[in-house]
Amino acid sequence: DSGVTQTPKHLITATGQRVTLRCSPRSGDLSVYWYQQSLDQGLQFLIQYYNGEERAKGNILERFSAQQFPDLHSELNLSSLELGDSALYFCASSVQPGQLYEQFFGPGTRLTVL
Amino acid sequence: DQQVKQNSPSLSVQEGRISILNCDYTNSMFDYFLWYKKYPAEGPTFLISISSIKDKNEDGRFTVFLNKSAKHLSLHIVPSQPGDSAVYFCAASPYGQNFVFGPGTRLSVLP
């Protein structure tokens, strides 16, 4: 158990809909990262937050947005969903935002868009 | 354009033998590399890392080798155990920026 929790574990929805994925980082970790893993693809970095502020952006679509709240939990909002958005979405956390620090991953949320 | 490549989607090895997982990268600015292991229904877990100032890092049964001129790194697992069966991701970072992950290699260690 990495100490990072993600809810829900599974999510099935229809095209055009909007969903919110939630992540609670490890106790004491200030930095949160979101990744997308599509079938047979590596982990695609989406976005990073540090202590409530956006720190870095990766390959995140404009239909997607995220935020980190004062209690340090984070939410990833996916809207106008398309079939291609079906993937595993991982949240990770680390103590500091620098990439030399190990990231601890949550178990992921599996999103299926029908 | 994949900057981090793991050209073997899968690998099968007999228990007790050596497992060698390979990773190639294209960006010469990558200077820090990690390997993550992922079991089904779990998130990836950190395994071992190496900085570009080294060419080898060892941790128990796991050794990572880095060949900067070839832009290639490999993970050696000796001896391989059935519990090592998982998907292994290689990741690379340029100057402390965000990591780029490879597509993963599924390792099966046969008893």
Side-chain angles (χ1 to χ4, degrees):
Chain A
D1 184 357
S2 67
V4 179
T5 60
Q6 289 186 249
T7 57
K9 283 188 178 179
H10 303 277
L11 198 49
I12 301 175
T13 188
T15 54
Q17 295 298 304
R18 182 179 189 276
V19 298
T20 297
L21 313 183
R22 184 189 167 100
C23 167
S24 292
R26 287 190 324 155
S27 176
D29 283 359
L30 300 178
S31 201
V32 169
Y33 311 77
W34 285 98
Y35 292 86
Q36 178 193 56
Q37 185 187 12
S38 302
L39 190 65
D40 293 332
Q41 297 288 315
L43 295 161
Q44 299 291 324
F45 168 69
L46 295 178
I47 197 165
Q48 177 197 0
Y49 281 82
Y50 175 70
N51 205 19
E53 299 288 328
E54 183 183 303
R55 178 85 177 195
K57 254 184 178 178
N59 300 320
I60 188 165
L61 300 172
E62 286 190 12
R63 300 184 285 109
F64 296 1
S65 65
Q67 57 186 129
Q68 186 179 27
F69 294 87
D71 66 353
L72 300 178
H73 91 270
S74 178
E75 292 182 355
L76 179 67
N77 301 297
L78 316 176
S79 61
S80 303
L81 285 168
E82 301 175 359
L83 296 177
D85 297 328
S86 295
L88 266 171
Y89 290 84
F90 288 103
C91 167
S93 72
S94 67
V95 173
Q96 295 288 340
Q99 290 301 300
L100 297 184
Y101 291 88
E102 175 188 345
Q103 294 181 23
F104 293 85
F105 282 79
T109 293
R110 181 173 293 281
L111 173 66
T112 302
V113 182
L114 301 175
Chain B
D1 178 32
Q2 277 191 337
Q3 296 188 69
V4 178
K5 302 176 185 180
Q6 295 177 257
N7 291 322
S8 298
S10 62
L11 176 68
S12 291
V13 170
Q14 209 68 37
E15 181 180 4
R17 307 294 291 268
I18 183 171
S19 295
I20 300 177
L21 296 100
N22 293 305
C23 177
D24 297 287
Y25 60 96
T26 58
N27 190 339
S28 57
M29 295 186 53
F30 287 150
D31 64 348
Y32 195 67
F33 307 87
L34 292 87
W35 284 92
Y36 277 83
K37 178 169 73 172
K38 183 183 178 304
Y39 292 119
E42 293 182 15
T45 55
F46 170 76
L47 194 57
I48 193 169
S49 65
I50 189 166
S51 163
S52 61
I53 62 173
K54 292 186 172 183
D55 55 16
K56 176 182 173 182
N57 188 26
E58 196 170 349
D59 183 3
R61 297 186 297 115
F62 302 91
T63 303
V64 56
F65 295 92
L66 175 62
N67 183 333
K68 289 185 288 294
S69 60
K71 295 192 181 66
H72 176 84
L73 65 157
S74 60
L75 174 68
H76 293 211
I77 306 174
V78 184
S80 302
Q81 300 173 353
D84 296 329
S85 297
V87 177
Y88 289 79
F89 291 99
C90 167
S93 169
Y95 302 128
Q97 298 305 306
N98 287 299
F99 279 103
V100 179
F101 281 79
T105 295
R106 183 178 300 278
L107 174 65
S108 299
V109 180
L110 310 172

